[in-house]
Amino acid sequence: MTPAERFASLAPRERVLILIAAALAAVALLVFLGIRPLVLGQRKALEDLAGQRAVLADIERVAARFGVRPGGESPAGTAAGTESLVVLVDRSTRAAGLGAYLKRNEPEGNTGIRLRFEDVPFDGLISWLADLQATQGVGVVAATADPGQEPGRVTANIQLARAAR
């Protein structure tokens, strides 16, 4: 006897129960194999997004601490990297109190500059260089320092360059 013949031989009440059970089984399969994975995937994607937003907030907080705002803006409001190195060095050395010690600056193209500081406070010079790196993307390419006339002071020749963007 085939399954169709066997189904036809059942009482009407039994046929209805089998049809209802088959429909429930089909709905359960659809839910567990189709809809549930989609819902779980969406939930995981939302959790991942929340984690990524938290990481972005942490990065922006750290960047603000070091003086760079989102979008590459420096604290002075000019985009980092758009200001001439000569102007940037002049402005930042004066702001750091090192302007009187800067004796020579020679531009090297659009992305480099050579500086000579005489009898400059070493700690102030290093702090200024670190700030320049963090806020403007200008790093030290080469540097030499000789002891100055007083302890804690140096005469320094420094070559700076703007990082490639």
Side-chain angles (χ1 to χ4, degrees):
M1 184 187 290
T2 67
E5 291 172 346
R6 189 168 182 165
F7 182 75
S9 70
L10 295 175
R13 178 186 270 172
E14 291 172 338
R15 279 185 269 181
V16 169
L17 286 174
I18 289 177
L19 288 175
I20 291 173
L24 287 175
V27 169
L29 281 175
L30 179 67
V31 168
F32 286 107
L33 297 178
I35 296 173
R36 187 168 183 255
L38 291 175
V39 171
L40 293 176
Q42 181 185 21
R43 185 174 299 144
K44 182 173 181 341
L46 289 173
E47 290 171 359
D48 290 348
L49 179 62
Q52 290 172 353
R53 284 184 176 159
V55 168
L56 177 61
D58 289 344
I59 290 170
E60 288 176 346
R61 190 171 29 257
V62 169
R65 180 175 175 220
F66 288 103
V68 178
R69 295 191 177 105
E73 292 289 316
S74 65
T78 61
T82 61
E83 188 174 35
S84 152
L85 273 179
V86 173
V87 173
L88 173 65
V89 166
D90 182 62
R91 179 181 50 77
S92 62
T93 54
R94 290 179 194 276
L98 302 175
Y101 305 105
L102 180 61
K103 300 303 177 186
R104 187 175 67 223
N105 63 11
E106 298 173 11
E108 290 188 336
N110 293 331
T111 61
I113 190 167
R114 288 183 184 271
L115 307 171
R116 178 169 176 85
F117 291 91
E118 292 182 2
D119 208 37
V120 64
F122 181 76
D123 292 343
L125 181 65
I126 296 301
S127 176
W128 171 73
L129 289 170
D131 183 58
L132 205 58
Q133 170 69 40
T135 62
Q136 300 295 327
V138 176
V140 176
V141 175
T144 60
D146 297 315
Q149 297 173 357
E150 298 175 26
R153 293 184 178 264
V154 294
T155 296
N157 292 306
I158 301 172
Q159 182 180 355
L160 302 176
R162 185 165 278 149
R165 294 192 178 257

